[in-house]
Each structure stands twice: as structure tokens, then as C-alpha cells.
Amino acid sequence: MPTSRKSRGTRLPAPFLKRLSVREDARLEEQYPFNLPWLKEDFLFEFSTPVTVLIGENGAGKSTLIEAVAAICGFDEAGGGKGYMPVDHSRAVDRSGAALATILRASWLPKVTAGWFFRAESFFSVARYLDEAARDANAAPPDFLSWSHGEGFIRFFEERLSRQGIYLLDEPESALSPKRQIELLRLLHSIQVSAGAQIIMATHSPILMAVPGARLVDVTRGGLVDRELQQTQHFKLYRDFTEDPAGFVRHAMLDDI
């Protein structure tokens, strides 16, 4: 059940999590995730904007980094907020993010415990849990499941992200049409402007990468690299497709992209 203890708010603007670094006593071992190429003893990630967008190829470790922050915040690996345990996932959820969290040091100003870890693949389990928890408390359930897939996601984002806290989104575009992604883009932009919450999001969507003023960070084998949207491989790929769809497809059928 959700914890009844309410976290204190702050008048300070986001970002609340200021930086991540490797603990002085940490041992970088040979197995994953401790052998991620960008994870070194001098690893330092500073958060400078309310919205931070992580990009990179599959396997680069961006989702693992998101999961590590979730563990540091005390959020459940299956998704949810502090004090929520929506599903029994002891054997089903990858724990590499939680392992990575054990060697990281987080610096906060101030420490914020409110928030949410959003995972698209566990959304329905979490939404069902929220409905059941509300009914057990004799309250009206949020009822996110009565809407279509994408509409339920957007209603969930609108309801949760309106509160002060730290919010972790792992590839939210997987359940959203381009039109719905634009709705989420608007919401993220309002958070970037108001600095009322902190967002750390991993995505492959060029639409969601385009949050004005957000920091766009490419997770590469060589390290974490700041990018402009037009510099990303994602943008270039979609640009080439829209400029000449038939030629793009012919090329894609013949060569590796």
C-alpha cells in the first residue's frame, strides 16, 4: 500500500538531483552493469535543467542509468513511486539498475522523495494497483484503464507530472502515437519552463527529444555527450526518410543503416 507519510515541498526550482558520481569505495567489476564503457571511476553526471533527455542505441545503458536513479529515489523497479509495490516481480524484473545504484553517489538540493518511475511495459499493472489501492481507501479510483492505451498514458502523465517531484520516464513513446507524443512534448515543455518538477527521460523519439531548453545527452561508449537535436542519428534518420521515403526504403533494403 502507498505510504501515508507526506513529503515536504520546496520552493527551490528543479533540478533537485544535481549530480551523480561513482562512490570513492566503489569497485568496478567485469560484469554488467559495472563494465558499461562510459562508467569509469571519474564518472560525473551533472543535471543542469529541469528536463534531461537521454538518448543512445539499445544496449548503451541509458535505461539502466534511469533504473539506477529510480533505485536511489526508493522507487520500485517495476515502476511506481516511493512506497508503492505494484506487482510481485522478484524474478521478472532486471535488477541491473539497482546494482548500479549501489556504487553511485547522488547529490541533491534539496532531497526530494516524491515522484514516479514510469515504465511502459508495467503501466497496466501499476494502473490496476492504483485503482485497487484507492478502492481500499474508500476513495475514487483514478481509472486510467478505462481509456485507450495512449489516452490512459497521457491522463496518467497529466495527473502525476503536475505535482512537485522527480519523474523518471523510460521510453514513454512506446505506447504513444506521434500525436500523443506531441501532447507529452507540451507537458514536458511546461515543466521545463516552470521548473516545478524534474524529469529524466530515456527516449528514441525525435519528437520527445525536441523539448525546448531541455538538456539532450547521448549515452555513447565513450561517455555522455551533449547534443543538439539536429546532431542526433535519430533526427538524421527521420529527416532522410521524410525527404525521400522511396529512396530511403530502397537504400535500407540494400545496406545497413
Side-chain angles (χ1 to χ4, degrees):
M1 290 295 295
T3 180
S4 60
R5 184 177 179 181
K6 294 183 179 179
S7 59
R8 294 182 179 180
T10 177
R11 294 186 178 182
L12 293 175
F16 311 120
L17 176 60
K18 297 295 186 183
R19 66 185 61 87
L20 293 173
S21 58
V22 174
R23 299 175 60 91
E24 291 84 354
D25 58 351
R27 295 181 59 185
L28 300 183
E29 303 173 7
E30 294 300 322
Q31 71 269 24
Y32 190 88
F34 308 108
N35 61 354
L36 283 164
W38 46 264
L39 185 63
K40 300 177 172 56
E41 292 181 355
D42 61 350
F43 170 78
L44 178 66
F45 190 176
E46 295 189 287
F47 296 90
S48 56
T49 54
V51 178
T52 303
V53 183
L54 304 180
I55 65 172
E57 289 301 319
N58 292 332
K62 60 185 183 300
S63 290
T64 301
L65 184 56
I66 290 268
E67 292 162 5
V69 177
I72 289 170
C73 293
F75 300 161
D76 188 68
E77 295 100 326
K82 194 174 181 66
Y84 288 82
M85 187 69 69
V87 290
D88 179 10
H89 58 281
S90 56
R91 297 183 181 180
V93 174
D94 178 25
R95 303 298 300 275
S96 56
L100 178 59
T102 64
I103 67 165
L104 295 180
R105 181 186 303 280
S107 300
W108 301 80
L109 184 65
K111 177 66 180 292
V112 172
T113 58
W116 201 264
F117 176 31
F118 175 82
R119 303 184 67 141
E121 63 268 29
S122 62
F123 171 75
F124 288 108
S125 295
V126 173
R128 189 174 297 109
Y129 172 85
L130 292 175
D131 283 350
E132 293 171 355
R135 293 189 185 98
D136 290 343
N138 295 318
D143 200 21
F144 297 116
L145 297 178
S146 292
W147 299 74
S148 71
H149 202 184
E151 288 174 326
F153 274 42
I154 290 298
R155 286 194 69 241
F156 179 84
F157 288 140
E158 289 174 342
E159 194 271 335
R160 290 286 156 174
L161 272 60
S162 64
R163 311 173 189 180
Q164 186 179 78
I166 181 168
Y167 297 92
L168 313 171
L169 312 181
D170 189 15
E171 300 183 10
E173 71 275 7
S174 62
L176 300 175
S177 68
K179 181 179 179 181
R180 296 297 182 189
Q181 290 179 42
I182 293 172
E183 293 181 42
L184 179 56
L185 176 68
R186 293 193 190 104
L187 180 57
L188 295 174
H189 177 237
S190 70
I191 293 172
Q192 171 65 25
V193 171
S194 69
Q198 180 172 5
I199 306 290
I200 305 173
M201 175 178 64
T203 185
H204 291 292
S205 167
I207 293 175
L208 297 181
M209 293 176 196
V211 181
R215 185 182 178 195
L216 186 59
V217 181
D218 195 354
V219 181
T220 73
R221 294 186 62 85
L224 307 184
V225 182
D226 285 85
R227 303 283 191 202
E228 296 294 332
L229 176 63
Q230 291 82 356
Q231 297 175 325
T232 66
Q233 291 300 316
H234 308 73
F235 176 86
K236 294 175 182 177
L237 193 68
Y238 278 74
R239 179 199 60 199
D240 292 346
F241 173 76
T242 55
E243 287 181 350
D244 181 12
F248 180 93
V249 172
R250 283 196 304 271
H251 172 73
M253 297 301 101
L254 296 175
D255 302 304
D256 292 331
I257 298 176

